Amino acid sequence: MHPYIEFVNPHLGKLITEIGLGKRFQRGQGVYLYDHEGDQYLDCIAAYGALPFGYNPPEIWRALHGIESRQEPSFIQPSLLEAAGELAARLIAVAPPGLQYVTFANSGAEAVEAAFKLVRAKTGKPAILSTRNSFHGKTLGALSATGNENYQKVFRAPVEGFRYIPYGDPTALEEYLKEYAHDTAAFIVEPIQGEGGIVEPPAGYLRKVQELCSKYGVLTIFDEIQTGLGRTGTMFACEQEGVTPDVMVVAKALGGGLIPIGAALCTEDVYTEDFGHKHSSTFAGNTLGARVGLAVVEQLTKDGGALLQAVQEKGAKLKAGLEEVARKYPQVVKAIRGRGLMLGIEFANSRTPYPHSLLGVMAEQELLTPMVASYLLNVEKVRVAPTLNGASVIRIEPPLTIGDAEIERVVEAVERTVHNLALRNTAAFLGHLVSYQQPELEKASPQPVEVFKVEPQSDDGRFAFLVHPVDLGNYTEFDESLAALSEEQLEDLSSRWNDLVEPFVVSTTRIVDKRGRSAYGDFICVPKTAAQLLAMDREQARAEILAAIDLAVERGAKIVGLGAYTSVVTMGGRQLLPYVDVALTTGNSYTVVSGVEALVTAAERIGVNLNTVTGAVVGAGGAIGKASSILLSEQVHSLILVGNPARPEKSEYRMLKVAVEIIQHLRSLSRSGRSFTPGSLGHFAAQLKDVPPADASLGTWVDYVRDLLAQGAPLTLTVDGAAHLPQADLLMVATSSLDTLITPEVLKHGAVVCDMSRPSNVSARVLQERKDVLVIDGGVIAVPNSPDLGWNFGFEKGTAFACMSETIMLALEKRYEHTSIGADLNLEQLELMRDLAVEHGFALAGFRAFDRPLETAVWEQVRSFRKQETA
């Protein structure tokens, strides 16, 4: 582990490593950086504007070596600071007219703090006004003025006395001043919002700000920490409107890329004796920082300010090149913003340009720009960064000394990046994270994709269904471009992706049943794999799932279905009940009904006489396995219940309870008039003598069933599937295990296997090595009127999992109550879902095996083997 991650910032260190920004730079020279492997990178961040002349500028080093040769003292408070006085004089000379005094600080944030103290000391008023989406630093006062709650909340900011108005809106400012000028000391504003996304105000805004604040007796603070000292093509950005604030703060570039230093410049009127006596700093105004500051001002002003003129010209060239890219790809790039060498590329932050793509999810969740920075860094060797508040904006802020050739390189790199985005090629765009190299950049023009859009109607039932990537195939089903990655690369990418994103809407659909009733709903992804959910502690897993439920409710869902392992890790939804105000269902009831129906139908189709066969249920102790065992017991001669070998004692007791319910269920059917074929399990149960009364204790029933088993009842309870499954003609697999449990070696000749598990518990080897065995996927349902679900889930249009179908049916009924919750599925609910399926028009879809349609030849092949076996 790198020492930065281990000892400095583990959270940030891991994040930037995960997204491919964790380079280890060993050397910097001019506009270039060099990593530990010697690779060269064109730097277009310039430490957020703090590197006006690039890395290690010789002019700045000469200033430092001069201090060394003269042996000047650095920290000599209190005394008349020679270098600080010289720098202050130079800053006042180049600053807008009217500024008189300079208070030095060690950073931009500290300069802002000094500015606040200046204006409060002068006016005696407490409030500081700033703008929304602004950024002024991360010390507590500067953070309180920063108009972004995301950075404030955890630190209990803003502290008292800070208020906010929209940026670039003089009308909003005047309305505020009319009401609150009496207790407001100053208005702090950036000439261009940097971290806010390179946002320029309307022309004349700063002049209007100064006029309004003067009119109402409120001081102005211009934050030129990022815009000042040449960044926008003039020494200070406010010069371009010919306006002087009461206080101006600078930093970043003042340190020449080598020394941290900041300063607050103010008018004579603002500076007070109280401030002069009571504000101080041990390190502020030190000789090192001041001499560097003098060298910076010298470089910016020499040759009549030639460098500033060059910044204007280079900035115009760079902006024109980026604007041409935006014109070519308007669906990806929304705007090019800023002036001079402080530019921003605004990317579309919606799914519209990226349908059926992980790129769209990243854009929607404001994760696209960090990955743009990662792509440019790793593939194009150009270093950029997103702005902190404007999450859809990439900043382009190279050193002021960048050359024309480098500008052309930046534009070309950005164009190639945007082209890949426009092609919606996620594998190519994120491949550098997992060592995937695209064979060649596609030359094809981006093709428009028809986006499935649906709107809810007033009478629709409302539902949502939670999904998550059960296996790697789910990613390529959703985003076809990922098929280019190997399994190892896809696994690596998915682990990074899952850690970054929050729950999101995969697709939306509207279902109309055979009688014209309708339901509208969302499929919402919990971005965690089955393995990740199982590995989490229960509280963390619950939090992940509750976040998805919150999104569902926010979008109008009245019932939420828990798909796959969102049900498993919450004990069939039971652990969620205290935390939700929306109806939940696992969908397990219809999953059981349809699964048993599929197994029985398939068996009959190949000529199996159900009353003479042995059935088996793997995972019989779980909710689906238990209910499937009860229903299957009505059909077969004998039944094998296979439990979890990892917990044999607990599993045995669970299966004993299942056996009790089987006997009770079969006897209940017999009493109600159901007749069973002699030799069947049902007939065995109906003929039993000395049966405990129905209201006898569970312990009494368990003891009774134990005796039956000991006497050779046609029920077998085991945790050793390999020893008993070779006896099973029909096999239902319904576990929450991620392992392959059913291999060719454990299957009886001519067996029929219904696999209800996701991921599959049946080995793909069965398909190749056991041509006599029929494997079908359970729980695949044809939805009425074959609707487009917005994403095919690996199925044909109009088909869905049974658990999804249960959720939809309950929404069609507007039956908003908890259903199929916990480990004990109610037999009445099983019958209800069977009836609702008929009523609404849900039915078994065409048979599938290993997520593919089952071909006719397979049926014929299995029938042929069975005939041979019978003969």
Side-chain angles (χ1 to χ4, degrees):
M1 186 179 295
H2 192 276
Y4 180 87
I5 298 175
E6 190 171 3
F7 300 113
V8 181
N9 191 331
H11 308 290
L12 179 60
K14 289 176 182 176
L15 173 62
I16 62 176
T17 299
E18 256 188 3
I19 65 176
L21 296 178
K23 295 293 181 184
R24 294 157 53 196
F25 294 114
Q26 307 290 316
R27 184 165 65 93
Q29 185 174 358
V31 295
Y32 290 102
L33 281 166
Y34 300 84
D35 68 13
H36 69 290
E37 294 179 341
D39 289 337
Q40 183 192 70
Y41 301 82
L42 174 59
D43 185 72
C44 289
I45 302 175
Y48 313 112
L51 295 164
F53 318 120
Y55 292 94
N56 293 304
E59 302 85 359
I60 307 303
W61 273 115
R62 277 197 291 272
L64 290 171
H65 290 313
I67 299 168
E68 180 187 28
S69 64
R70 295 187 298 274
Q71 291 291 286
E72 284 187 76
S74 189
F75 306 119
I76 45 176
Q77 303 270 25
S79 65
L80 298 179
L81 305 179
E82 197 75 24
E86 292 179 32
L87 176 57
R90 288 293 288 131
L91 286 173
I92 293 301
V94 299
L99 296 173
Q100 180 63 35
Y101 295 110
V102 179
T103 299
F104 288 108
N106 303 300
S107 67
E110 289 183 41
V112 169
E113 299 283 356
F116 292 162
K117 293 166 75 175
L118 275 164
V119 297
R120 282 178 166 173
K122 170 61 182 176
T123 65
K125 296 188 285 188
I128 301 293
L129 177 65
S130 66
T131 63
R132 298 189 188 106
N133 203 44
S134 60
F135 186 87
H136 299 290
K138 291 185 177 177
T139 53
L140 193 55
L143 181 61
S144 295
T146 292
N148 188 324
E149 187 185 47
N150 187 44
Y151 295 103
Q152 297 173 330
K153 194 171 182 180
V154 69
F155 301 114
R156 302 295 178 90
V159 296
E160 188 177 353
F162 289 85
R163 300 171 186 152
Y164 315 91
I165 60 170
Y167 181 70
D169 187 346
T171 303
L173 175 60
E174 184 159 24
E175 288 174 358
Y176 171 90
L177 293 173
K178 285 177 182 177
E179 187 169 357
Y180 298 109
H182 66 279
D183 72 345
T184 300
F187 175 42
I188 182 169
V189 65
E190 299 159 277
I192 299 174
Q193 285 190 331
E195 303 305 331
I198 317 297
V199 180
E200 292 186 89
Y205 175 64
L206 294 182
R207 177 167 290 281
K208 190 65 176 176
V209 163
Q210 187 65 33
E211 291 172 357
L212 287 171
C213 287
S214 296
K215 175 182 175 181
Y216 287 94
V218 171
L219 299 175
T220 53
I221 305 171
F222 287 178
D223 182 341
E224 293 251 18
I225 290 170
Q226 196 163 166
T227 55
L229 298 168
R231 177 56 53 183
T232 65
T234 54
M235 187 65 75
F236 301 100
C238 62
E239 288 180 41
Q240 295 167 31
E241 292 192 18
V243 61
T244 300
D246 298 292
V247 182
M248 181 173 72
V249 289
V250 296
K252 291 194 184 296
L254 189 60
L258 292 180
I259 296 290
I261 179 174
L265 287 67
C266 68
T267 63
E268 183 176 7
D269 181 60
V270 169
Y271 201 91
T272 63
E273 185 176 353
D274 277 342
F275 178 85
H277 284 313
K278 295 176 181 177
H279 175 83
S280 64
S281 168
T282 300
F283 298 120
N286 68 79
T287 302
L288 290 169
R291 292 295 178 203
V292 164
L294 282 164
V296 168
V297 176
E298 170 62 23
Q299 290 300 307
L300 292 173
T301 56
K302 73 177 185 179
D303 300 326
L307 181 57
L308 300 180
Q309 179 62 38
V311 168
Q312 295 179 31
E313 295 167 359
K314 292 173 184 176
K317 179 177 181 178
L318 178 55
K319 188 172 186 179
L322 296 174
E323 286 175 335
E324 180 59 28
V325 175
R327 277 192 289 272
K328 288 182 182 178
Y329 302 96
Q331 73 276 32
V332 176
V333 179
K334 290 178 66 176
I336 306 298
R337 304 207 289 244
R339 58 182 182 265
L341 289 175
M342 184 177 177
L343 302 177
I345 307 173
E346 182 183 7
F347 287 83
N349 60 349
S350 74
R351 290 209 206 174
T352 303
Y354 317 105
H356 312 300
S357 169
L358 297 186
L359 298 176
V361 178
M362 289 192 293
E364 185 177 68
Q365 297 199 11
E366 300 184 337
L367 294 169
L368 187 61
T369 49
M371 297 316 304
V372 168
S374 177
Y375 182 90
L376 281 165
L377 180 69
N378 290 279
V379 178
E380 299 290 346
K381 299 294 190 287
V382 173
R383 190 167 180 256
V384 300
T387 54
L388 293 181
N389 293 355
S392 61
V393 177
I394 284 287
R395 73 174 85 234
I396 306 289
E397 290 187 55
L400 306 183
T401 53
I402 189 171
D404 289 340
E406 285 88 6
I407 287 173
E408 290 175 6
R409 177 179 168 185
V410 171
V411 172
E412 290 169 1
V414 168
E415 180 163 5
R416 284 190 291 269
T417 304
V418 170
H419 180 73
N420 253 343
L421 285 173
L423 291 173
R424 300 181 295 277
N425 191 333
T426 308
F429 185 66
L430 300 182
H432 64 274
L433 297 175
V434 295
S435 302
Y436 166 74
Q437 290 188 334
Q438 187 182 15
E440 187 178 345
L441 183 67
E442 295 181 54
K443 305 297 183 183
S445 299
Q447 297 299 312
V449 171
E450 185 177 352
V451 180
F452 176 77
K453 290 187 178 180
V454 61
E455 297 295 334
Q457 305 299 314
S458 59
D459 198 41
D460 288 346
R462 296 297 296 269
F463 74 92
F465 189 83
L466 306 190
V467 298
H468 67 86
V470 175
D471 55 37
L472 296 177
N474 293 148
Y475 291 97
T476 54
E477 289 166 7
F478 180 65
D479 188 330
E480 293 180 358
S481 75
L482 296 177
L485 302 181
S486 69
E487 186 172 334
E488 292 76 16
Q489 290 168 334
L490 188 54
E491 186 168 5
D492 186 355
L493 185 62
S494 70
S495 66
R496 297 168 187 260
W497 156 269
N498 291 343
D499 288 340
L500 292 173
V501 297
E502 298 174 351
F504 60 91
V505 177
V506 179
S507 62
T508 300
T509 190
R510 186 168 181 268
I511 312 293
V512 180
D513 75 1
K514 67 181 185 180
R515 296 186 180 181
R517 285 170 291 188
S518 57
Y520 173 94
D522 300 311
F523 295 98
I524 295 175
C525 180
V526 177
K528 293 290 181 287
T529 64
Q532 285 175 318
L533 285 172
L534 288 173
M536 289 177 182
D537 62 63
R538 289 185 178 181
E539 187 174 338
Q540 184 186 2
R542 184 172 65 231
E544 294 277 352
I545 294 163
L546 286 172
I549 293 173
D550 287 344
L551 176 59
V553 172
E554 180 186 321
R555 291 179 55 85
K558 302 296 184 185
I559 186 166
V560 177
L562 304 174
Y565 285 73
T566 65
S567 169
V568 173
V569 300
T570 59
M571 304 295 289
R574 286 176 57 191
Q575 294 183 343
L576 299 173
L577 297 184
Y579 305 96
V580 298
D581 295 317
V582 66
L584 300 178
T585 177
T586 61
N588 284 344
S589 292
Y590 191 49
T591 297
V592 169
V593 168
S594 62
V596 173
E597 182 184 353
L599 179 61
V600 169
T601 302
E604 290 175 338
R605 185 169 170 180
I606 61 171
V608 174
N609 183 352
L610 294 174
N611 294 317
T612 65
V613 301
T614 297
V617 178
V618 180
I624 293 175
K626 172 184 172 181
S628 298
S629 300
I630 293 171
L631 292 190
L632 195 58
S633 71
E634 301 174 16
Q635 310 279 349
V636 297
H637 169 268
S638 59
L639 191 60
I640 301 168
L641 306 183
V642 182
N644 184 356
R647 300 186 222 168
E649 292 183 7
K650 187 174 182 180
S651 186
E652 180 192 8
Y653 187 70
R654 277 188 176 180
M655 289 188 294
L656 278 167
K657 292 197 294 181
V658 174
V660 167
E661 291 196 43
I662 287 173
I663 298 298
Q664 291 175 333
H665 173 66
L666 294 174
R667 288 187 61 78
S668 174
L669 290 178
S670 178
R671 288 194 300 270
S672 65
R674 170 84 174 265
S675 62
F676 294 98
T677 303
S680 69
L681 180 56
H683 186 264
F684 167 82
Q687 301 301 311
L688 287 172
K689 308 297 182 183
D690 302 322
V691 179
D695 59 356
S697 69
L698 176 61
T700 299
W701 270 100
V702 165
D703 289 340
Y704 177 75
V705 168
R706 273 202 179 102
D707 289 340
L708 289 180
L709 296 173
Q711 296 168 22
L715 271 171
T716 302
L717 278 56
T718 182
V719 295
D720 186 359
H724 292 84
L725 290 181
Q727 304 165 31
D729 301 280
L730 305 183
L731 178 58
M732 177 78 74
V733 186
T735 84
S736 58
S737 172
L738 301 177
D739 299 328
T740 298
L741 304 176
I742 310 302
T743 61
E745 296 77 20
V746 301
L747 293 173
K748 184 176 181 179
H749 188 88
V752 180
V753 182
C754 180
D755 186 10
M756 306 288 288
S757 302
R758 298 292 184 276
S760 173
N761 290 154
V762 181
S763 170
R765 288 172 47 221
V766 174
L767 189 65
Q768 303 299 322
E769 300 176 21
R770 294 297 302 271
K771 303 299 184 182
D772 59 304
V773 170
L774 178 67
V775 179
I776 61 171
D777 297 338
V780 183
I781 302 300
V783 181
N785 294 311
S786 296
D788 189 337
L789 301 183
W791 176 34
N792 65 13
F793 301 96
F795 298 156
E796 293 77 17
K797 179 184 174 184
T799 56
F801 286 116
C803 47
M804 296 173 182
S805 301
E806 176 171 324
T807 309
I808 295 168
M809 286 189 280
L810 292 170
L812 287 166
E813 285 285 303
K814 297 184 179 175
R815 193 182 182 105
Y816 302 135
E817 58 190 46
H818 297 317
T819 307
S820 305
I821 298 297
D824 296 314
L825 296 180
N826 187 303
L827 288 174
E828 285 75 17
Q829 287 183 345
L830 298 181
E831 288 302 317
L832 169 67
M833 298 318 303
R834 194 196 308 270
D835 293 342
L836 289 181
V838 173
E839 181 180 344
H840 292 284
F842 290 76
L844 286 178
F847 285 95
R848 300 170 65 86
F850 298 97
D851 293 324
R852 293 194 180 112
L854 200 56
E855 298 178 0
T856 304
V858 175
W859 293 96
E860 296 300 330
Q861 177 178 276
V862 175
R863 278 197 201 96
S864 175
F865 275 110
R866 287 194 64 81
K867 286 178 181 177
Q868 294 173 23
E869 181 70 12
T870 302

